[in-house]
Amino acid sequence: MYFVRNNQVHMGALLFSVALLFLWPGQKSYAQVSSKYMETLEGEASGLKLDTQTRVQPQKEAALNENFDKAKGGAISDLKQGFSLERFEDVLKNNYIGSYLFYKRLNDQQKAEVFGYYQNNPDPQKVREKILQVTKSE
Amino acid sequence: MFLRVLFPFLLICFSTAQALDVKLTADKEYVEVIHDNKLVRIQRIQDQDHVLEGGFAKTSRKCPPFCIQPMSAGEGVRTVGQLEIFEFMEKELLDGTGVIVDSRTPSWWKRGTIPGSINIPFTTFSLEVNDPQLIEVMKTLGAKRRGKVSGLSRAIEQFGLMGGSQKNDEWDFTTAKKILLWCNGMWCGQSPRAIRGLLELGYPADNILYYRGGMQAWQSLGLTVIVPED
């Protein structure tokens, strides 16, 4: 009697394990996808066109990046002491675009503060830190 | 005298001509982001008679799979709109503490994306935890794959000590970035799937933002898109 009951328990455990094996992949199905879904997605994407007027206009993009490309070619050098404000901003824009985007959002007085700092500290890292410091003090 | 009056008038006319008529908000004309090492200006189409063209003018797609998505993509995940994206671009994206993720498959991405986004297809988050591609992607997002952790250390962490609230058995999220995920819009399940995958991996929900409007809303507002270079 005990043996039969024990066998039933074992059989139950076995069935449960098999069921778990089948169910287990379902636990991670959040991002796992069927090939049919992927095919439908790809099919929908294949003929897709975006509104042409929303696309970045090549000329405008070129204009925005003109100096940036020059920097890549080495035409514009790194920060050096004695640059005019215009030249300083150009170098920042061309070589340190992240810092420049922060700098651009400062008001005239804050920009003057950064420029003044640069004149005594023509080190890009220090200038960046100064820009961030001025930004945070807003 | 005549010149004194005329000059300011011309100046005003000139500056008005320079300003955009269709702005992002009353006080913001555009946002600039860095995309693939290039400065890209995001603004709206200026032609006020323009009507949306292209694939996103389409209203109906078979459901399933293209079903309307719920407003929330997961518990603790914030759903955002365009203004929050602009703010994200000017803060987190710029200072490197945030990432904008186009979670669509590459065939969607290459037809055009929101400037400043990187492409991490939603399928990536279903890879095995030891898959090098997943580890690399998680590294980009600021999460680190953990080595062997002793039972004692883990027990201490589970009490919230040693930064334990930001760690699980597999990943260390101490330096995890804020991620803003998006896909095609209200009818797109790709970013919700990516978000569910991230949550399953243990990524902190409060570091995840969901732009439900996606490319559909972005196009409807005539906002700039960029076609990634091969």
Side-chain angles (χ1 to χ4, degrees):
Chain A
M1 186 64 188
Y2 170 79
F3 181 76
V4 172
R5 189 180 289 171
N6 214 22
N7 252 1
Q8 280 173 340
V9 170
H10 283 165
M11 186 60 92
L14 182 71
L15 284 173
F16 181 70
S17 310
V18 171
L20 258 187
L21 274 176
F22 279 103
L23 286 172
W24 190 250
Q27 297 295 310
K28 283 206 78 181
S29 63
Y30 50 83
Q32 282 180 345
V33 287
S34 69
S35 55
K36 193 180 171 198
Y37 176 56
M38 291 306 284
E39 275 171 28
T40 315
L41 274 186
E42 297 309 294
E44 192 68 23
S46 64
L48 184 83
K49 280 184 184 150
L50 297 186
D51 190 301
T52 48
Q53 283 205 38
T54 58
R55 286 177 59 165
V56 172
Q57 299 300 309
Q59 306 92 320
K60 284 182 191 166
E61 191 191 355
L64 278 170
N65 295 303
E66 188 187 357
N67 292 333
F68 191 83
D69 290 340
K70 256 195 251 171
K72 276 185 183 167
I76 292 180
S77 60
D78 220 347
L79 267 189
K80 283 177 185 160
Q81 202 149 22
F83 286 160
S84 65
L85 176 64
E86 195 186 4
R87 175 91 169 139
F88 165 72
E89 289 182 346
D90 266 351
V91 172
L92 214 55
K93 184 176 178 180
N94 297 324
N95 295 13
Y96 307 100
I97 189 72
S99 301
Y100 175 73
L101 287 179
F102 278 106
Y103 173 82
K104 219 171 61 111
R105 301 206 322 250
L106 302 177
N107 62 35
D108 288 347
Q109 195 185 340
Q110 291 169 320
K111 281 179 182 169
E113 188 183 334
V114 171
F115 182 65
Y117 180 84
Y118 141 77
Q119 287 174 319
N120 296 320
N121 305 276
D123 174 345
Q125 186 56 36
K126 285 184 178 172
V127 170
R128 180 179 170 78
E129 281 164 15
K130 180 68 182 172
I131 293 171
L132 292 176
Q133 181 211 321
V134 174
T135 303
K136 281 175 192 161
S137 70
E138 272 181 301
Chain B
M1 179 64 190
F2 178 70
L3 276 178
R4 267 192 197 170
V5 175
L6 184 67
F7 183 69
F9 175 73
L10 285 174
L11 194 68
I12 289 166
C13 288
F14 179 74
S15 42
T16 309
Q18 293 294 304
L20 299 181
D21 286 331
V22 184
K23 298 179 181 182
L24 303 180
T25 64
D27 56 3
K28 196 187 287 288
E29 293 191 345
Y30 56 83
V31 173
E32 286 181 329
V33 291
I34 303 165
H35 187 99
D36 200 15
N37 279 340
K38 286 180 179 168
L39 187 62
V40 178
R41 181 171 293 180
I42 296 171
Q43 61 182 51
R44 298 176 66 188
I45 294 173
Q46 294 302 300
D47 176 3
Q48 293 180 50
D49 294 323
H50 183 70
V51 174
L52 187 63
E53 294 166 355
F56 286 91
K58 193 172 167 180
T59 59
S60 306
R61 290 175 178 84
K62 197 178 171 192
C63 164
F66 302 111
C67 300
I68 299 170
Q69 297 296 312
M71 188 56 96
S72 168
E75 202 181 330
V77 174
R78 192 157 70 97
T79 302
V80 296
Q82 296 76 27
L83 299 189
E84 289 81 9
I85 296 187
F86 302 148
E87 201 181 324
F88 191 90
M89 286 170 165
E90 291 186 320
K91 288 183 183 162
E92 286 89 348
L93 188 63
L94 193 53
D95 67 20
T97 58
V99 183
I100 300 180
V101 176
D102 178 343
S103 51
R104 302 173 301 168
T105 57
S107 46
W108 292 89
W109 152 266
K110 70 181 182 189
R111 292 183 187 271
T113 188
I114 294 176
S117 303
I118 57 167
N119 183 216
I120 305 177
F122 69 97
T123 48
T124 311
F125 301 111
S126 65
L127 296 171
E128 289 299 319
V129 284
N130 284 323
D131 191 294
Q133 194 189 337
L134 178 65
I135 294 172
E136 196 54 39
V137 158
M138 293 296 272
K139 198 173 149 192
T140 308
L141 302 178
K144 285 175 273 192
R145 180 83 172 94
R146 299 191 79 183
K148 198 168 170 56
V149 186
S150 75
L152 180 64
S153 300
R154 193 66 198 113
I156 294 171
E157 284 172 5
Q158 278 166 346
F159 278 104
L161 302 169
M162 290 166 60
S165 59
Q166 299 291 313
K167 296 171 185 171
N168 62 22
D169 291 346
E170 314 286 352
W171 303 97
D172 179 349
F173 297 105
T174 315
T175 54
K177 294 183 180 180
K178 199 163 248 189
I179 330 174
L180 194 157
L181 297 104
W182 63 273
C183 60
N184 286 317
M186 301 74 89
W187 49 269
C188 175
Q190 298 185 65
S191 49
R193 279 171 188 264
I195 290 169
R196 286 198 293 274
L198 279 162
L199 291 174
E200 192 75 20
L201 290 167
Y203 208 93
D206 53 2
N207 274 15
I208 303 176
L209 303 171
Y210 168 45
Y211 173 38
R212 181 173 176 268
M215 185 55 85
Q216 181 77 63
W218 197 261
Q219 284 273 284
S220 302
L221 289 166
L223 288 159
T224 306
V225 295
I226 190 161
V227 178
E229 290 170 11
D230 288 329

